[in-house]
Amino acid sequence: MYRPIGITVSRHIRDLQRLHPEATGDLSGLLNELIVAAKTISAEVNMAGLADVLGMSGKTNIQGEEVQKLDEFANNTIKRRMARCGYLCVMTSEEEADIIPVKEGYEGNYTLAFDPLDGSSNIDVNVSIGTIFSIHRRRDFQDFRNWRQTDQNQGMANAQGDEGDLLQLGREQVAAGYIIYGSSTMLVFTTGEGVHGFTLDPSVGEFYLSHPNIKIPERSKYFSVNEGNYGYWTEGMQRYVDYLKEKDKETSRPYSSRYIGSLVADFHRNLISGGIFLYPRDNKNPAKPSGKLRLLYEAAPLAFIVEEAGGRAITDDGINIMDIVPDALHQRVPLIIGSKNDVDTVEEFLAGKR
Ligand code: AFP
C-alpha cells in the first residue's frame, strides 16, 4: 500500500531543537519519552472493551473520585517511564496526593505535571478521553545545567525537585500538550513555537504531522458548558449563556451547544473548529468554590496551547490563567477558554458591562 512520506513527531521535535542552538536535547528527549508512554496508553485504551481494563480499580484518588482501572494504568505508565527518563527532577499527577520523586541518580532539569486520563467517567461508554501534560524548567535550571556540565563531584545540594518547582506560573511553561484518544489518537503540543497536531498511524506506531500550526478561529458558533449547573451560576454567567441562545443573524446566534464532558475532547473540537468552553465557579458544592478544573493539570497547559493558537483563557473574574501563581498542587480554577472574540464577550458580561 502507498503511504505518503510524512513528518514524524520525532523529526519535528529535532527541527524545533535546531531553532535553539543552545539546547542540550533534554527537552526533546523528554517529549520523546512521554510520547512512548502515550502510545502505550493509546494501545490499552483501544483494547478497552476486550481486555479486562474497564470499570473501577476499587481505589479513590486525591479528588475523592473513584479511580478507574484505565486511570490507574495510565498513571503508572507515565510515572514509571518518566521517573527514569533522566530529564525530570519531580512530577505531579492529578491522581496522586503528593509530589512524585524521580529515581535517584536520574534527576534532570525539568518538571512534569500530568492528568493521566482526563474525562475518565467517559471511559466505559467509549467516548474520547485524553492525557494532558505541562512541563516547566526546575527553578535552579541554570545552576543545575552548569553543575552537570562541569564538576559533578562537588555534588548539588538537592538534585531532586520539590513542590516549589511544580508550583510555577503557567506562563513559565516550556511545553504543554495533550493526547486525545478519539476516532484516531492525536498528539497536540506547543513549545512556544506554534501549536502542532500529529495523528498516530497505529499500523506503524508513529505520530505524523497532520495539523501544522493550528490557529483557533477568532469567533465561533459553538459553546461548551454543563448547562445542568445553570441555576448555580452567577448572574453574569447566566446572562451570557442566555445571550448565546438568542436569535441574531449578525452575530450568528443562537450558538450551537456541544458538550462532551471530557475536557480534552471539548477543547480539541473548539481548537480546530472554533468555540468557547466554560466551567465557571458555582455555588453547588461549597467544597469546590473555585469551579471543578485543576490549574496545573488542565487549565494552565490548555491555556498555553490556546494562547499559542491565538485564543484566550481566563477565570470567571477575568484573570489570565497563565498569570495565576499556584498555591497548591491540586488547586481548582474557574475556566473560560477558546476563541478570542468569544472570550472577550463573556468577559464583558462577567464584568457587568453588558
Ligand atoms: P472526570 O475525569 O471525572 O470524568 O472529569 C472530567 C472533567 O474533569 C473534565 O474533563 C470535564 O470537562 C469536566 O470534568 C466535566 O465535568 P461535569 O461532569 O461536571 O460537567
Side-chain angles (χ1 to χ4, degrees):
M1 189 178 102
Y2 169 76
R3 282 181 193 282
I5 301 175
I7 297 174
T8 62
V9 67
S10 38
R11 185 183 132 194
H12 177 86
I13 291 170
R14 273 200 311 278
D15 288 347
L16 285 175
Q17 192 187 320
R18 277 202 201 98
L19 299 174
H20 300 275
E22 75 291 356
T24 57
D26 281 10
L27 183 59
S28 304
L30 164 49
L31 289 170
N32 282 321
E33 285 291 324
L34 205 49
I35 288 164
V36 176
K39 285 189 215 171
T40 311
I41 298 167
S42 177
E44 196 74 4
V45 168
N46 287 341
M47 292 292 288
L50 299 171
D52 182 27
V53 292
L54 289 180
M56 299 298 170
S57 67
K59 297 180 186 154
T60 307
N61 70 11
I62 169 73
Q63 327 286 345
E65 301 153 350
E66 285 190 273
V67 178
Q68 304 254 352
K69 286 186 202 163
L70 259 179
D71 261 334
E72 197 176 22
F73 175 85
N75 191 46
N76 287 337
T77 300
I78 297 175
K79 210 166 82 168
R80 289 184 188 143
R81 174 159 291 281
M82 301 314 289
R84 288 168 183 268
C85 73
Y87 306 115
L88 294 174
C89 61
V90 66
M91 295 182 269
T92 180
S93 161
E94 194 245 341
E95 292 296 333
E96 306 218 3
D98 300 317
I99 61 168
I100 306 167
V102 301
K103 176 92 181 136
E104 231 181 282
Y106 287 80
E107 294 92 346
N109 240 332
Y110 293 92
T111 72
L112 173 67
F114 62 97
D115 183 348
L117 219 45
D118 184 66
S120 41
S121 53
N122 281 319
I123 294 173
D124 284 357
V125 290
N126 222 332
V127 170
S128 299
I129 45 183
T131 299
I132 312 176
F133 62 90
S134 162
I135 297 168
H136 283 86
R137 290 186 169 127
R138 59 186 299 152
R139 283 172 301 170
D140 57 357
F141 181 82
Q142 206 47 55
D143 291 347
F144 189 81
R145 181 179 270 194
N146 293 344
W147 168 72
R148 279 230 304 224
Q149 280 166 357
T150 55
D151 187 5
Q152 298 209 11
N153 298 326
Q154 292 301 310
M156 207 37 201
N158 191 2
Q160 290 278 332
D162 60 22
E163 192 171 290
D165 289 302
L166 292 159
L167 298 180
Q168 296 191 60
L169 279 185
R171 200 159 295 290
E172 303 290 334
Q173 290 171 101
V174 291
Y178 59 84
I179 298 95
I180 176 166
Y181 312 105
S183 46
S184 54
T185 294
M186 262 192 84
L187 162 70
V188 174
F189 77 95
T190 184
T191 52
E193 267 119 12
V195 179
H196 308 283
F198 302 80
T199 302
L200 181 66
D201 178 342
S203 62
V204 285
E206 189 57 85
F207 279 103
Y208 290 99
L209 182 62
S210 51
H211 297 64
N213 208 16
I214 298 170
K215 290 290 171 205
I216 183 168
E218 280 210 335
R219 183 167 287 287
S220 71
K221 45 185 193 331
Y222 296 112
F223 73 105
S224 318
V225 68
N226 182 345
E227 254 197 287
N229 292 333
Y230 182 93
Y232 300 106
W233 293 338
T234 60
E235 194 246 331
M237 184 57 62
Q238 289 177 336
R239 275 190 299 107
Y240 174 66
V241 170
D242 292 343
Y243 159 87
L244 292 179
K245 296 194 284 189
E246 286 165 10
K247 287 189 213 148
D248 178 45
K249 258 204 174 124
E250 212 177 295
T251 51
S252 306
R253 286 179 293 145
Y255 275 31
S256 289
S257 163
R258 296 279 185 280
Y259 191 69
I260 297 169
S262 214
L263 177 61
V264 173
D266 280 311
F267 177 83
H268 183 70
R269 186 203 49 248
N270 292 349
L271 181 70
I272 304 295
S273 311
I276 181 155
F277 174 95
L278 310 127
Y279 210 112
R281 78 189 69 211
D282 58 50
N283 59 15
K284 182 163 73 173
N285 188 346
K288 297 176 186 171
S290 304
K292 179 178 180 192
L293 303 178
R294 272 72 35 142
L295 175 60
L296 294 190
Y297 316 105
E298 295 171 312
L302 298 187
F304 187 16
I305 294 170
V306 89
E307 281 199 5
E308 276 293 312
R312 287 187 70 200
I314 59 170
T315 63
D316 57 10
D317 41 15
I319 298 166
N320 188 316
I321 294 287
M322 298 275 273
D323 293 330
I324 300 175
V325 184
D327 54 33
L329 293 178
H330 298 283
Q331 181 177 347
R332 295 173 191 267
V333 284
L335 177 64
I336 294 171
I337 188 165
S339 293
K340 182 185 171 303
N341 292 351
D342 292 304
V343 177
D344 291 348
T345 305
V346 65
E347 195 176 24
E348 286 174 14
F349 273 91
L350 294 168
K353 292 183 188 154
R354 296 175 70 152

